[in-house]
Amino acid sequence: MSEERKKVRQRRRETLKRMQERERIIQGKKAPGKKVFIVIAVCLLLCAIAGGTVFASRLLENNTSIKIKIAVESQSIVQDEVLQSFVAKAISDTDGDKVINRNTGFTVQDLLDDLNGGIGYQINCDGDGTTEGEFTIHAELDEYMKERVTKEWNDKVQIESEDGELVVKNKYGEWEGNKFKRYDGTYVSDDFIESKGDKYYFDADGNMVTGEIKLGFTTYVFDENGKMVSEVSTLDVDKPMVALTYDDGPGPRTGELLDMLEANAAHATFFMLGQRINDDNGDVLKRMVDIGCEVANHSYSHPQLTTLSEDAIKEEINTTNNKILDKSGVASKIVRPPYGSVNDTVRAVVGVPMIMWSVDTLDWKTKNAKATVDHVMNTVRDGDIILMHDIHDTTIDAAKELIPKLKEAGYQLVTVSELAEARGVPMKAGQSYSEFCK
């Protein structure tokens, strides 16, 4: 309220007070005469004229319009973070004392107060915080406010939205040229990333892939901008499948096992010991990757991890991870704890999915090829993870018979990660998995 308006109101209150006091005095002496009524009438008239003059000065002229903006604040979040309530502020360059409605005395300031109290409009946005991108945040008048603008105020008031923007950042990181940098400073490699609804793949060096590549049972095609345009898999998710897994290698005859897998278009997962990975078998690890097998971590020296300190567990896992990446060019994404021994400390420190088994061939104990084959064929079912060790000659000999038999029985031989994906199970860090059945 302006100082002038305050003074007028104060003068009116003081005049009325004096008039009321005078009337009480007169009533105590005698009935008022004509002169008293004339004085009172004149005072009231003067007050009305004074107030009316100020009020008139605050009325909008016929050709004047008020422009009000509802300025919506912008917001920036990472995908899946909690989206904060949208906020807006109503502003105008018109004097707040200007009267919009002569009958009610409704002013510009009154309207601003209503709008800043959230009355008369809603804030809308197409983004909900789950999809990466930039989204407009817009203030939209409700029907009641629209009616007031057109009918009550005869379109003298213009209320517009000064839009804000909701920026939803990728949950994993951000682009850096043709690479994708995670928020922890590392670069994505040998993995997919979804950005603004499109899917991209990055090779072992972290470079975005274009053209055609084959990963496991699936052939992917990417356009010149790296966006995936098609994927065709030879894996039938409706047919039975199992994951052959081999521990403690690489062994002296692991190369022969790879020959059999490749000849039968079969894949397997190799949980390797860091102390067995060296320059002499580096080409074996590269070949595992080339034929669609999965390289994975089985610790460095095969200790029972639950008996170690956090630092010792990290040393066992990280040293082996580094060796696998160095020799194969691909990072290990899963771990098989030695002896299947796990506790809360192991879960927290390992930091990736941990793979157990549903079929234990005991090949390390029997060291009998036939016993290994018979045990698998007599117990196997769709979704099983089968445990064997490629450091034993008898296990390699068993593979020559076991792999063709499993295929003849209708099983597709896949890696652990392929099996989980085919069964629609997103593996989570720190959790253990022993099978992926339908």
Side-chain angles (χ1 to χ4, degrees):
M1 183 182 296
S2 68
E3 288 300 320
E4 182 182 5
R5 187 176 179 184
K6 290 179 181 178
K7 290 178 181 178
V8 170
R9 289 187 174 183
Q10 183 63 26
R11 286 197 298 270
R12 292 178 65 184
R13 285 195 294 268
E14 291 174 354
T15 300
L16 289 172
K17 185 176 180 181
R18 288 196 299 272
M19 290 170 59
Q20 290 169 353
E21 182 64 26
R22 183 178 179 84
E23 185 177 355
R24 283 196 297 271
I25 294 172
I26 293 172
Q27 288 291 341
K29 293 181 180 181
K30 60 178 181 178
K34 292 183 178 180
K35 289 183 178 181
V36 175
F37 287 116
I38 291 172
V39 171
I40 294 173
V42 170
C43 289
L44 291 172
L45 178 61
L46 290 173
C47 289
I49 292 172
T53 301
V54 175
F55 183 75
S57 69
R58 294 186 289 110
L59 285 173
L60 289 176
E61 298 177 4
N62 290 334
N63 60 350
T64 302
S65 64
I66 298 172
K67 293 184 179 180
I68 292 178
K69 289 183 179 179
I70 302 177
V72 184
E73 290 186 10
S74 294
Q75 191 175 150
S76 178
I77 64 169
V78 174
Q79 277 178 295
D80 299 332
E81 281 186 349
V82 176
L83 188 61
Q84 301 299 317
S85 298
F86 296 122
V87 177
K89 182 178 181 180
I91 54 177
S92 176
D93 55 6
T94 302
D95 185 356
D97 282 346
K98 289 291 185 183
V99 176
I100 301 174
N101 188 315
R102 178 193 297 269
N103 297 327
T104 63
F106 193 76
T107 67
V108 172
Q109 188 60 52
D110 292 331
L111 177 55
L112 292 176
D113 290 344
D114 281 353
L115 294 173
N116 284 321
I119 298 173
Y121 67 95
Q122 299 88 29
I123 301 179
N124 303 315
C125 181
D126 291 335
D128 61 2
T130 61
T131 303
E132 179 188 4
E134 296 79 35
F135 306 90
T136 299
I137 313 174
H138 180 75
E140 181 71 26
L141 297 183
D142 61 24
E143 292 304 317
Y144 173 68
M145 185 60 73
K146 289 178 181 178
E147 186 173 352
R148 295 187 76 184
V149 169
T150 56
K151 294 183 179 180
E152 182 179 339
W153 303 328
N154 297 318
D155 290 321
K156 287 184 178 180
V157 178
Q158 298 177 14
I159 306 176
E160 297 178 349
S161 174
E162 187 176 277
D163 295 342
E165 184 179 56
L166 172 63
V167 178
V168 183
K169 299 178 182 178
N170 190 283
K171 72 174 89 175
Y172 303 107
E174 55 192 1
W175 286 92
E176 191 176 281
N178 284 333
K179 294 177 178 286
F180 197 87
K181 190 175 184 179
R182 297 187 183 91
Y183 291 120
D184 64 5
T186 61
Y187 291 90
V188 174
S189 62
D190 293 308
D191 205 354
F192 291 93
I193 283 291
E194 187 171 320
S195 177
K196 295 186 177 180
D198 292 308
K199 201 169 185 179
Y200 301 82
Y201 186 79
F202 300 84
D203 63 20
D205 296 321
N207 296 310
M208 181 185 72
V209 171
T210 60
E212 181 179 299
I213 62 169
K214 185 175 182 180
L215 301 172
F217 290 97
T218 306
T219 299
Y220 300 90
V221 177
F222 302 86
D223 67 16
E224 66 276 8
N225 296 314
K227 298 178 182 179
M228 190 178 77
V229 294
S230 68
E231 58 177 310
V232 179
S233 177
T234 57
L235 190 65
D236 190 339
V237 297
D238 295 323
K239 291 184 178 180
M241 61 186 75
V242 295
L244 301 179
T245 66
Y246 294 91
D247 288 9
D248 296 351
R253 297 179 62 190
T254 299
E256 293 180 44
L257 176 55
L258 295 180
D259 290 340
M260 287 177 274
L261 290 167
E262 185 175 19
N264 287 274
H267 298 166
T269 299
F270 291 87
F271 290 100
M272 294 174 283
L273 295 177
Q275 64 183 9
R276 291 186 181 274
I277 300 173
N278 52 54
D279 291 339
D280 292 336
N281 55 30
D283 58 336
V284 173
L285 271 71
K286 287 187 176 66
R287 188 175 174 211
M288 290 176 183
V289 174
D290 289 342
I291 67 172
C293 291
E294 185 170 24
V295 290
N297 193 322
H298 193 40
S299 81
Y300 183 79
S301 60
H302 208 280
Q304 187 168 329
L305 297 180
T306 54
T307 66
L308 305 182
S309 67
E310 288 189 13
D311 288 342
I313 296 172
K314 289 179 182 177
E315 182 69 19
E316 284 282 335
I317 299 302
N318 293 342
T319 301
T320 304
N321 278 342
N322 292 337
K323 283 201 161 195
I324 291 174
L325 179 60
D326 178 57
K327 299 303 180 184
S328 72
V330 175
S332 169
K333 298 177 182 178
I334 52 178
V335 164
R336 173 169 282 164
Y339 313 105
S341 184
V342 173
N343 59 16
D344 289 341
T345 301
V346 174
R347 291 187 186 92
V349 174
V350 168
V352 295
M354 293 177 291
I355 309 303
M356 305 303 175
W357 54 88
S358 54
V359 176
D360 186 353
T361 62
L362 297 177
D363 61 336
W364 59 273
K365 185 176 182 180
T366 64
K367 293 186 179 178
N368 183 298
K370 185 177 186 305
T372 297
V373 174
D374 289 346
H375 182 78
V376 172
M377 297 308 300
N378 290 334
T379 60
V380 69
R381 58 179 182 149
D382 181 30
D384 273 335
I385 297 175
I386 302 170
L387 170 61
M388 292 174 283
H389 301 76
D390 56 322
I391 58 173
H392 302 304
D393 287 336
T394 50
T395 300
I396 304 302
D397 293 338
K400 296 178 181 179
E401 183 179 353
L402 178 61
I403 292 173
K405 274 195 170 185
L406 285 169
K407 294 201 68 175
E408 288 172 8
Y411 289 100
Q412 301 171 98
L413 306 184
V414 299
T415 68
V416 168
S417 293
E418 288 169 342
L419 181 57
E421 182 179 356
R423 294 293 178 251
V425 179
M427 293 189 290
K428 297 180 180 179
Q431 291 194 13
S432 300
Y433 302 88
S434 58
E435 60 184 9
F436 296 99
C437 300
K438 287 183 180 179

